[in-house]
Amino acid sequence: MHNPENAESPRGATDLTRREFLIAGTATVALTGCMGLGTKSATEMKPQQAAATRVSFHVNGKPCQLELDNRTTLLDALRERLHLTGSKKGCDQGQCGACTVMVGDRRVVSCLTLAVMHEGSLITTIEGLGTPEHLHPMQTAFVKHDGYQCGYCTPGQICSAVAMLREIKAGMPSHVTSDLTAQPKLTADELRERMSGNICRCGAYSNIAEAITEIAGRTA
Amino acid sequence: MKFDMPATTNPIDQLKVIGKATERIDGPLKTTGTAPYAYERHDVAVNQAYGYIVGAAVAKGRIESMDLTAAKAAPGVIAIVTAENAGQLDKGNLNTAKLLGGPAVDHYHQAIALVVAETFEQARSAAHLIHVDYERAKGAFDLAIAKNSSTPPKPGFGGPPDSAVGDFVGAFESAPFQFDATYTTPDQSHAMMEPHASIAAWNGDKLTVWTSNQMIAWSVGDMAKTLGIPKENVRLISPYVGGGFGGKLFLRADALLAALGARAANRPVKVALQRALMMNNTTHRPATIQRLRLGATKEGKLTAIAHESWSGDLPGGSPETAVSQTRLLYAGANRMTAMRLAVLDLPEGNAMRAPGEAPGMMALEIAMDEMAEKLGLDPIEFRILNDTQVAPDNPAKPPSSDPQSKAPEEKHYPHPPFSQRRLTECFRTGAERFGWNKRNPVPGKSREGHWLMGIGVAAAFRNNLVMKSAARVRLDNKGVVTVETDMTDIGTGSYTIIAQTAAEMMGVALHQVVVRLGDSDFPVSCGSGGQWGGNSSTSGVYAACMKLREAVAQKLGFDSTKAVFADGQVRDGGRSTPLAQAAGESGLVMEDAMEYGDLDKKYQQSTFGAHFVEVAVHASTGETRVRRMLAVCAAGRILNPKSARSQVIGAMTMGMGAALMEELTVDKRHGFFVNHDLAGYEVPVHADVPHQEVIFLDETDPISSPMKAKGVGELGICGVAAAIANAIYNATGVRVRDYPITLDKLIDRLPEVA
Ligand code: FES
Ligand code: FES
């Protein structure tokens, strides 16, 4: 089995660095957290004796500062530290898309990127798109077209769909785009190809495609 | 309330709310990521620690030694649970293999340890420091070999292992047209999107587990039994389930280990089964080998039908009941079925969406296509010719189909009539809508550029089961109706149809109903499984609402048989009172269950459908693309056409997976499923799925329940794969009898590229 611990460089060489990280981290404990987001204090969750780094990014428009075990994925930082559990962990291996969030305008599977790599990033999660009382148009369309069943892939599908439409607008081609220099259009093939990183085992695809098509038509 | 007479007119027939395409009431929560799934309950217990499961690295054998030293010393580690330190553990009634292995190992990735640490990263890291030495034992991993030592299984959910009517052998031998072929279906994985996950917290000797489970009462029982504690001390809470498909019917390792971890750590512990463990650690749909023999007259009347199926499971396990539908689907005077079970040391085989019928229909409905061709008949006409309105072969069932019931066997009806059976109409309706008459019956003759085009059809069939289900309804002084039942919503739409039922019964608007599900403190429901959930759980709500209506009428001095509940008012003759007022300050609470008499014995209750598929197979590469799909279903009253349609398209999608890509690949030397993640185990994605169409025939079945409904969630998967296989044959002339139909099975037999 792959062992991330054993894969590290020999002990001793990195120990000092770790301690330094920790000292630096402890000194700034009071400052960590996320403005306006319910979060555990850093002391409560502080990893012991593991390399830790302080990272600052924006989540749904709010500045956050966290001291994190370097091994923490962006997904776990969101779910376990910031308690933003809308982003789902379906596989933790980059295979399902349930953890899709937006970094800037780009879709990212947040289980496949470490949180500490996101210094300064502008991150949008499903919670940043809409609330049950004020749904984002894509969320409304998913409800209307029943583009979900169990709901577990759904936040990822919605984040992916919103970013996917932006990607098309920005002229990014996909595997099925025949003319790489022309402005891509949201054909059924383009939609299905571009959404294929988001698995829905409940099989709501046909309905999801209808929801996205409705929104694309509106924003085109 | 007992349902032992066919339903007459009742408040559900008003169809003001029921039967209307209704957006899910849990939609705003699910689409905003605010519906809380099990692992996400930061709100329910403070100071949660993280558990990480270690799976066995051998399929069969013993743990010789387990060195925990390095793991224990690793940063953040609080406790490590193993069989050695977990104390005396029993095994759940519904588990075949133990959930915590050691020293004996029963299957690959059986849990053998849980590492509990302050953070997920620490727990994962420490788990990798555990060193285990195994003594590997020889095991049986190859069904084709183990088949030879298979035996008749105990009667179970799928009835007795053998059945016979008339003289099959004689009739088959003398039939002018004979067909004999063997098919295989592979092991398949539920692969639901939400991994099995639980948070456990002890309060003294009381255990609460927030989990992801389809059957709350079953799993409370098995948790209590496994831990050796009273049932009353166990509470399970599972309001949102991120998919199950049968994979979350039972207590699994995440829940048990969270409970053990929490006990060891003396604080709440959360555990999610890692994706890479799911396919070998949990249950799967077992592979089958199926032999079909059909004999027919030259006019196409079936005179002899035989279906034999072999599957394997761990010792003490059960068979894949792939012959079930063949006892009921087509007429034929002489017939036999047989199921045989081999011992395999692979992970535990168990129910996955439409157990029995899903793989059984994969074989039977290709065989029917092959036989039709042999007879020179249209495959639809051949099936219609052999339609029947009575059950052709209904062997005596075991005492109860509920594994936890001890009810005695009831009277046996050898050929009960179907309560409703509109299979022919499903075919006719579908043929017209899909353009069946445009299909060229000669295979390999339709081309579109590089693509070979084909159309295929298959019947859909799945039994309708009814299960006892209870609910509690509360009416408050604002006229709000709250329903509580331990029923689960696994994506099926339970929240919404239960709300619709209560709204219809009490005469209030949908938004006046609150539905609370999935808590073992609520009355015991039928749970989600076997496509019985929709009909049975709403029938339980119907029963409770009937009682509440009586209580309201009585309180107001109205005649409960005449009182009309509508628009938030109760009316009796000229008198009318707002429901809110009737409830009074303290409100009214009523609880009841729906139980069933023998209408499901006197009548054969089943659901029917027809699947139509158009495929394109690439003439050079053999790649198959599904172009169009249509399902026509006759399944009683459709309570919510919107979510019911979704159930069917989801099932069609899973059936497409079964046809074209899904296969757990067995390492026959070491005994495990090799492709144990979502990259290796392929399931359909957006790019695979075309627009799907579903037609529900307008139907009510008063024999089934007061809701007059049946199930659709499993009907939708039964037959899809065969329809695709038949379409591929129609496109290419290549008959593949071993699923999945991947391009390597086609490529060297494709017609010459012109
Ligand atoms: S959880 Fe990130 S891709 Fe599956
Ligand atoms: S809604 Fe269940 S996986 Fe997509």
Side-chain angles (χ1 to χ4, degrees):
Chain A
M1 224 180 267
H2 177 65
N3 183 338
E5 281 289 278
N6 291 349
E8 282 175 10
S9 51
R11 299 273 152 99
T14 53
D15 267 1
L16 186 66
T17 328
R18 286 182 184 170
R19 260 183 240 117
E20 282 171 356
F21 267 126
L22 204 68
I23 291 160
T26 321
T28 55
V29 158
L31 297 174
T32 63
C34 205
M35 298 280 292
L37 287 172
T39 169
K40 284 191 176 185
S41 76
T43 30
E44 197 186 333
M45 292 293 296
K46 186 162 55 69
Q48 302 165 9
Q49 302 161 45
T53 301
R54 194 144 54 87
V55 61
S56 309
F57 42 58
H58 280 68
V59 181
N60 301 329
K62 291 172 185 130
C64 298
Q65 196 171 67
L66 290 171
E67 188 198 327
L68 290 169
D69 183 322
N70 284 358
R71 299 167 297 190
T72 311
T73 61
L74 178 57
L75 177 62
D76 282 330
L78 293 168
R79 280 168 65 86
E80 305 305 325
R81 295 293 301 276
L82 300 174
H83 295 185
L84 291 170
T85 53
S87 307
K88 303 303 178 197
K89 188 186 276 192
C91 68
D92 217 10
Q93 295 175 303
Q95 298 170 345
C96 76
C99 63
T100 305
V101 301
M102 287 175 266
V103 176
D105 270 351
R106 295 285 302 269
R107 293 179 276 177
V108 167
V109 280
S110 59
C111 71
L112 221 52
T113 183
L114 295 171
V116 295
M117 294 158 66
H118 287 280
E119 182 64 35
S121 290
L122 303 178
I123 296 156
T124 307
T125 69
I126 189 73
E127 290 93 344
L129 288 182
T131 62
E133 295 73 32
H134 299 284
L135 297 176
H136 181 279
M138 189 65 83
Q139 292 167 325
T140 306
F142 267 64
V143 175
K144 178 177 159 195
H145 293 277
D146 212 36
Y148 58 99
Q149 292 179 39
C150 76
Y152 202 74
C153 75
T154 313
Q157 301 276 2
I158 291 172
C159 285
S160 197
V162 168
M164 184 270 290
L165 294 183
R166 289 182 194 160
E167 287 164 14
I168 291 201
K169 213 173 217 170
M172 290 168 68
S174 83
H175 175 65
V176 298
T177 311
S178 45
D179 182 350
L180 295 185
T181 55
Q183 173 65 31
K185 292 200 173 58
L186 189 79
T187 61
D189 278 353
E190 283 279 7
L191 186 156
R192 290 182 186 132
E193 170 62 25
R194 289 170 190 263
M195 289 299 294
S196 281
N198 291 85
I199 295 175
C200 177
R201 184 56 164 164
C202 293
Y205 298 122
S206 189
N207 291 352
I208 294 171
E210 276 167 34
I212 298 174
T213 306
E214 182 187 312
I215 297 304
R218 213 183 282 169
T219 56
Chain B
M1 183 175 253
K2 188 146 188 182
F3 185 76
D4 48 11
M5 296 286 283
T8 52
T9 302
N10 67 45
I12 294 297
D13 295 319
Q14 299 173 95
L15 301 182
K16 287 183 186 161
V17 196
I18 286 288
K20 297 255 188 299
T22 305
E23 289 178 359
R24 289 170 201 253
I25 61 171
D26 46 337
L29 295 182
K30 282 181 172 172
T31 54
T32 54
T34 48
Y37 296 82
Y39 197 77
E40 302 166 356
R41 302 304 300 268
H42 293 289
D43 56 320
V44 294
V46 292
N47 207 20
Q48 296 169 14
Y50 291 78
Y52 196 88
I53 295 178
V54 179
V58 300
K60 193 177 178 186
R62 287 182 74 77
I63 296 170
E64 282 199 321
S65 67
M66 205 190 283
D67 185 357
L68 306 178
T69 324
K72 274 186 180 156
V77 171
I78 303 161
I80 300 178
V81 177
T82 66
E84 215 177 350
N85 64 27
Q88 182 81 29
L89 293 178
D90 200 346
K91 184 162 71 70
N93 283 324
L94 299 165
N95 295 127
T96 305
K98 287 192 294 182
L99 298 177
L100 177 60
V105 173
D106 304 308
H107 63 88
Y108 189 78
H109 276 177
Q110 184 176 31
I112 55 167
L114 180 83
V115 178
V116 181
E118 296 289 344
T119 71
F120 174 71
E121 293 76 22
Q122 290 170 332
R124 178 181 59 191
S125 173
H128 291 131
L129 298 176
I130 293 179
H131 184 85
V132 188
D133 284 316
Y134 300 93
E135 186 186 272
R136 204 191 278 265
K138 268 203 157 10
F141 309 124
D142 189 343
L143 177 62
I145 295 169
K147 170 179 183 268
N148 300 322
S149 54
S150 61
T151 55
K154 287 197 304 273
F157 248 111
D162 293 278
S163 73
V165 176
D167 168 24
F168 168 74
V169 174
F172 183 69
E173 274 171 7
S174 60
F177 283 83
Q178 296 170 353
F179 175 76
D180 182 349
T182 298
Y183 302 84
T184 64
T185 63
D187 296 288
Q188 295 173 346
S189 179
H190 310 86
M192 73 296 276
M193 293 307 301
E194 182 204 21
H196 302 74
S198 297
I199 299 174
W202 291 88
N203 184 0
D205 56 2
K206 299 246 194 270
L207 171 67
T208 305
V209 186
W210 293 266
T211 189
S212 183
N213 193 289
Q214 300 174 228
M215 304 293 293
I216 300 305
W218 287 7
S219 298
V220 165
D222 272 353
M223 178 71 94
K225 179 163 187 279
T226 308
L227 292 174
I229 61 176
K231 258 203 243 188
E232 298 69 49
N233 288 3
V234 177
R235 182 170 174 203
L236 292 194
I237 300 174
S238 182
Y240 292 96
V241 180
F245 315 116
K248 292 175 181 167
L249 286 169
F250 316 113
L251 180 74
R252 296 300 318 168
D254 60 300
L256 177 65
L257 287 173
L260 294 171
R263 189 151 75 183
N266 207 14
R267 60 192 260 200
V269 167
K270 61 198 286 188
V271 178
L273 197 52
Q274 301 93 273
R275 174 61 65 178
L277 287 191
M278 283 173 69
M279 286 160 185
N280 285 287
N281 175 282
T282 71
T283 61
H284 66 280
R285 190 201 297 284
T288 64
I289 299 171
Q290 301 179 48
R291 183 184 185 196
L292 262 303
R293 280 174 290 170
L294 304 173
T297 65
K298 63 179 191 312
E299 292 77 28
K301 277 270 182 204
L302 286 168
T303 52
I305 304 174
H307 191 168
E308 296 156 275
S309 173
W310 293 264
S311 61
D313 202 357
L314 288 166
S318 50
E320 181 65 31
T321 56
V323 306
S324 311
Q325 72 291 323
T326 308
R327 294 172 177 169
L328 298 167
L329 192 47
Y330 297 114
N334 305 286
R335 48 208 303 147
M336 63 83 69
T337 64
M339 294 184 273
R340 292 296 177 266
L341 178 62
V343 169
L344 284 181
D345 299 295
L346 290 171
E348 176 174 339
N350 218 313
M352 175 169 149
R353 200 172 200 166
E357 280 111 328
M361 292 291 278
M362 288 168 79
L364 174 65
E365 286 297 290
I366 296 186
M368 288 297 284
D369 201 64
E370 298 202 55
M371 188 64 169
E373 192 183 35
K374 210 166 187 175
L375 289 158
L377 286 175
D378 176 87
I380 291 179
E381 295 310 320
F382 175 50
R383 288 178 172 91
I384 290 174
L385 197 58
N386 290 289
D387 198 6
T388 173
Q389 288 296 322
V390 298
D393 175 10
N394 182 39
K397 291 204 171 67
S400 169
S401 50
D402 177 351
Q404 290 187 334
S405 157
K406 290 175 185 69
E409 167 69 328
E410 284 145 42
K411 185 169 162 10
H412 174 234
Y413 301 86
H415 298 290
F418 286 96
S419 61
Q420 295 266 357
R421 177 169 165 132
R422 293 162 75 198
L423 179 63
T424 294
E425 207 176 325
C426 290
F427 277 119
R428 296 257 186 258
T429 306
E432 193 179 317
R433 175 70 73 101
F434 204 70
W436 178 255
N437 58 6
K438 293 197 197 76
R439 168 183 179 266
N440 187 339
V442 185
K445 291 287 178 250
S446 303
R447 282 288 284 266
E448 250 183 40
H450 295 300
W451 298 91
L452 303 164
M453 304 298 295
I455 291 179
V457 75
F461 174 91
R462 170 76 171 147
N463 275 337
N464 178 59
L465 304 173
V466 287
M467 292 283 187
K468 180 180 173 183
S469 195
R472 181 158 59 219
V473 281
R474 177 179 295 116
L475 175 66
D476 74 9
N477 62 1
K478 295 192 182 63
V480 172
V481 177
T482 303
V483 186
E484 291 174 337
T485 163
D486 82 358
M487 181 59 187
T488 49
D489 188 330
I490 63 172
T492 39
S494 311
Y495 275 106
T496 311
I497 55 173
I498 285 173
Q500 287 175 277
T501 304
E504 193 78 80
M505 291 299 293
M506 301 312 299
V508 299
L510 197 61
H511 66 82
Q512 289 282 92
V513 181
V514 175
V515 180
R516 302 176 66 201
L517 299 181
D519 186 333
S520 59
D521 274 1
F522 301 154
V524 174
S525 74
C526 57
S528 299
Q531 84 168 6
W532 62 63
N535 180 41
S536 294
S537 70
T538 51
S539 295
V541 175
Y542 173 97
C545 287
M546 273 304 200
K547 258 200 176 164
L548 182 58
R549 287 165 61 109
E550 273 163 37
V552 169
Q554 203 172 26
K555 197 161 170 194
L556 297 174
F558 288 6
D559 178 350
S560 71
T561 58
K562 295 210 185 80
V564 175
F565 290 71
D567 311 318
Q569 306 271 325
V570 204
R571 283 195 301 274
D572 180 11
R575 292 191 295 160
S576 181
T577 309
L579 209 51
Q581 194 182 317
E585 269 316 300
S586 53
L588 283 170
V589 189
M590 283 293 153
E591 183 175 329
D592 200 4
M594 184 61 76
E595 293 178 77
Y596 296 86
D598 60 357
L599 285 174
D600 60 339
K601 316 278 183 311
K602 283 186 184 147
Y603 294 87
Q604 177 59 44
Q605 297 184 19
S606 305
T607 59
F608 299 90
H611 286 291
F612 291 81
V613 174
E614 183 175 38
V615 300
V617 181
H618 197 277
S620 309
T621 67
E623 178 192 6
T624 299
R625 310 293 304 159
V626 175
R627 289 277 180 92
R628 290 194 293 142
M629 299 182 95
L630 164 70
V632 184
C633 303
R637 173 176 281 154
I638 301 303
L639 303 176
N640 180 359
K642 194 169 211 138
S643 55
R645 179 181 170 278
S646 291
Q647 281 284 287
V648 176
I649 67 166
M652 289 156 82
T653 303
M654 200 176 273
M656 174 196 294
L660 298 176
M661 60 194 88
E662 290 185 36
E663 174 176 25
L664 287 166
T665 305
V666 181
D667 182 321
K668 291 173 185 158
R669 300 156 308 159
H670 297 118
F672 69 101
F673 300 130
V674 180
N675 49 341
H676 52 74
D677 60 30
L678 290 171
Y681 185 84
E682 292 183 12
V683 299
V685 299
H686 277 278
D688 298 312
V689 182
H691 175 77
Q692 295 162 317
E693 212 184 329
V694 181
I695 297 171
F696 292 111
L697 297 189
D698 191 10
E699 179 173 299
T700 52
D701 192 339
I703 308 288
S704 166
S705 77
M707 303 302 293
K708 304 175 186 172
K710 296 182 193 171
V712 293
E714 299 191 332
L715 176 67
I717 194 174
C718 297
V720 184
I724 293 173
N726 296 339
I728 292 173
Y729 175 74
N730 183 243
T732 63
V734 182
R735 188 60 83 175
V736 178
R737 298 193 181 112
D738 301 296
Y739 290 100
I741 308 173
T742 45
L743 48 80
D744 52 298
K745 294 172 188 169
L746 296 170
I747 196 158
D748 59 348
R749 296 196 277 157
L750 289 173
E752 283 299 313
V753 180

